[in-house]
Amino acid sequence: MNAFSYSGQALFCEGVALAEIAARVGTPSYVYSSATILANFRAYDESFGDMPHTICYAVKANGNLAVLRLLAEAGAGFDIVSGGELFRVLQAGGAPSKVVFSGVGKTAAEIDDALAAGIFNFNCESEPELALIDALAHRRGTRARVALRVNPDVETDTHDYISTGKLAHKFGVDIAAAEGIYERARKHENLLIEGVSCHIGSLLLDPEPLMEAVDRVLALIDRLRALGSDIRHADLGGGLGVAYKPEETTPSIAEFVKCLRQRLTGRDLHVVLEPGRSIVAGAGVLLTKTLYRKNTGHKDFVIVDAAMNDLIRPALYNAYHEILPVRQNNSRRIRADVVGPVCETGDFLAHDREMADVMPGDVLAISTAGAYGFVQSSTYNARRRPAEVMVDGDLWRVVRERESYEDLIRGETI
Ligand code: LLP
């Protein structure tokens, strides 16, 4: 679903004009559509039907408490990668029994907190990590459920920084070495080694590599079971992409799950998925105000009040985000770079973009910004991080206040 659409000249999020939010909350501000978040989660959940499954939303994509609460109430589990994300999930009322803990560098303190909370499963990425979880579980007099994250060595067509499924990457263990590791891990008496996990990368527009990875994981599960391992669940990670550009296409969540189901039917496995982007990306925009127009003699610039500290994806991955005026004042088009106030040439939100002819004061919506937007923001240039707003039908509320100058220096001493 697309909750962001024009009614007359005004761009709406569900039943709320974005201009109203900008006027009341100021800019830059993130705005999220609760209906979109829920629809995307339900598309995953319902497409699995009666196949045993848990959709563990990847908190890293957007960890706002209101987003987590919405998903927790809808029955989601959570994929966390740090003690901080566990804290957020618990604060939001998420069920620890539906939490999986991923990540290549879990600390002893983080593992211990997760054991104390009683999470469902640790996705382990190395033999030393298995040994550490075993020791910490022993100290607590409990048994920890673990899955080994295997690296299925498949090629993905995504940005190098977010591809994870090749042997050159730091993630998981070589799938070819997995049987030996499962065999050795059996000596750890405080581990329940009941799963296999993988995650091959993010922003996969073509799900074919993921299906190839699933086939390899299923073949491994067959071999492990033949060797006597009691494998009960397969965690297939996240990664389904979203269309950032109008001309891009990607399968719908329902189509994607259908492909997965075809492979998983009859396998007697509880399936776990860890989607992040595909649930929240399209549910969010970043509102920003035009400050100046400027022509250097070479180029047109639209200077706005959001910057790389608010949304780093263009600067970091050369990512494309559609930019729409929240009020269509005229039909003239311009070609310009959209840039922020940060003192770096890398501070841009769009390069050489054909877009609406905007004037100082006009508010713009930077689209598809609900995932990896606010969570990757910083206070670089001593800029306060933006407010976050949640829309629900005709209602909206601030779910995170804009930072204050006091927030910027909290904890510092002279
Ligand atoms: N599970 C694991 C183990 C992951 O590492 C990730 C993402 C996910 C699940 C969720 O993947 P998703 O469904 O969101 O694709 N900052 C980058 C994306 C980094 C993704 C990191 N891992 C961006 O802005 O594109």
Side-chain angles (χ1 to χ4, degrees):
M1 77 174 276
N2 186 5
F4 297 91
S5 60
Y6 285 98
S7 170
Q9 260 50 58
L11 185 60
F12 276 70
C13 172
E14 301 187 26
V16 180
L18 289 170
E20 180 194 332
I21 297 177
R24 300 264 299 276
V25 182
T27 51
S29 295
Y30 280 94
V31 179
Y32 310 126
S33 152
S34 56
T36 308
I37 296 172
L38 283 179
N40 289 335
F41 168 73
R42 289 191 182 127
Y44 273 107
D45 198 32
E46 287 164 12
S47 302
F48 271 106
D50 56 6
M51 181 175 280
H53 66 277
T54 309
I55 305 303
C56 293
Y57 165 69
V59 175
K60 65 170 79 65
N62 185 331
N64 182 285
L65 292 182
V67 171
L68 301 183
R69 169 61 66 94
L70 196 65
L71 288 165
E73 282 179 348
F78 296 95
D79 167 46
I80 60 164
V81 290
S82 69
E85 287 190 352
L86 176 61
F87 178 72
R88 282 191 168 276
V89 168
L90 297 179
Q91 288 291 310
S97 60
K98 290 188 190 173
V99 168
V100 296
F101 193 169
S102 302
V104 71
K106 306 174 189 76
T107 67
E110 288 174 323
I111 292 168
D112 203 44
D113 284 350
L115 286 170
I119 68 164
F120 169 62
N121 178 72
F122 292 85
N123 288 332
C124 293
E125 304 224 9
S126 65
E127 292 198 77
E129 186 191 329
L130 284 170
L132 178 59
I133 297 174
D134 180 58
L136 293 168
H138 175 69
R139 211 172 63 189
R140 282 198 172 269
T142 177
R143 295 185 84 188
R145 191 176 293 102
V146 298
L148 191 66
R149 174 168 173 182
V150 295
N151 191 326
D153 197 26
V154 292
E155 203 71 62
T156 52
D157 182 19
T158 187
H159 193 284
D160 280 352
Y161 289 5
I162 56 176
S163 172
T164 54
K166 291 290 289 174
L167 292 180
H169 299 138
K170 68 181 174 182
F171 298 100
V173 300
D174 180 358
I175 194 162
E179 282 147 85
I181 298 175
Y182 273 91
E183 210 43 46
R184 286 192 290 283
R186 287 206 211 186
K187 71 171 189 291
H188 294 307
E189 288 175 358
N190 308 285
L191 300 183
L192 293 165
I193 310 162
E194 294 182 349
V196 178
S197 79
C198 82
H199 169 78
I200 60 166
S202 192
L203 190 43
L204 308 174
L205 290 177
D206 174 8
E208 210 28 59
L210 221 151
M211 297 305 154
E212 199 180 318
V214 172
D215 289 340
R216 292 185 189 185
V217 166
L218 290 175
L220 171 68
I221 291 174
D222 287 343
R223 294 198 297 277
L224 292 171
R225 283 175 165 171
L227 291 169
S229 276
D230 184 17
I231 302 298
R232 299 176 182 198
H233 81 266
D235 181 337
L236 304 170
L240 177 64
V242 299
Y244 285 95
K245 296 182 183 169
E247 68 271 21
E248 276 172 349
T249 54
T250 187
S252 69
I253 292 169
E255 286 162 348
F256 173 69
V257 173
K258 193 171 158 207
C259 289
L260 286 176
R261 282 193 64 151
Q262 278 163 0
R263 290 173 155 77
L264 294 160
T265 300
R267 292 287 188 156
D268 191 23
L269 280 169
H270 184 110
V271 186
V272 176
L273 285 190
E274 303 169 357
R277 188 190 316 264
S278 49
I279 290 184
V280 288
V285 297
L286 173 61
L287 296 180
T288 182
K289 192 160 71 192
T290 309
L291 299 175
Y292 303 101
R293 287 282 301 271
K294 172 167 168 172
N295 185 296
T296 57
H298 286 277
K299 239 184 190 180
D300 259 323
F301 289 93
V302 174
I303 302 168
V304 297
D305 66 357
M308 65 189 290
N309 74 294
D310 303 302
L311 178 66
I312 203 175
R313 300 194 71 258
L316 191 55
Y317 316 112
N318 212 12
Y320 180 102
H321 288 262
E322 272 289 272
I323 300 182
L324 301 170
V326 306
R327 240 188 253 292
Q328 289 173 314
N329 292 326
N330 59 62
S331 56
R332 289 191 306 274
R333 308 287 289 171
I334 56 165
R335 187 170 281 280
D337 280 15
V338 181
V339 299
V342 162
C343 301
E344 290 200 25
T345 302
D347 177 30
F348 65 92
L349 296 164
H351 269 154
D352 200 28
R353 179 69 58 85
E354 199 208 300
M355 59 183 285
D357 185 11
V358 291
M359 293 297 147
D362 287 351
V363 176
L364 302 172
I366 303 173
S367 304
T368 334
Y372 305 110
F374 185 90
V375 283
Q376 295 198 106
S377 66
S378 75
T379 58
Y380 185 40
N381 277 210
R383 287 170 54 83
R384 298 168 297 162
R385 284 182 295 175
E388 293 176 284
V389 168
M390 182 71 82
V391 173
D392 179 5
D394 297 336
L395 305 174
W396 60 272
R397 68 203 152 89
V398 174
V399 291
R400 180 181 167 119
E401 287 174 16
R402 185 179 312 289
E403 280 181 336
S404 66
Y405 287 139
E406 288 305 316
D407 290 333
L408 286 182
I409 58 169
R410 191 154 67 93
E412 289 184 41
T413 50
I414 294 175

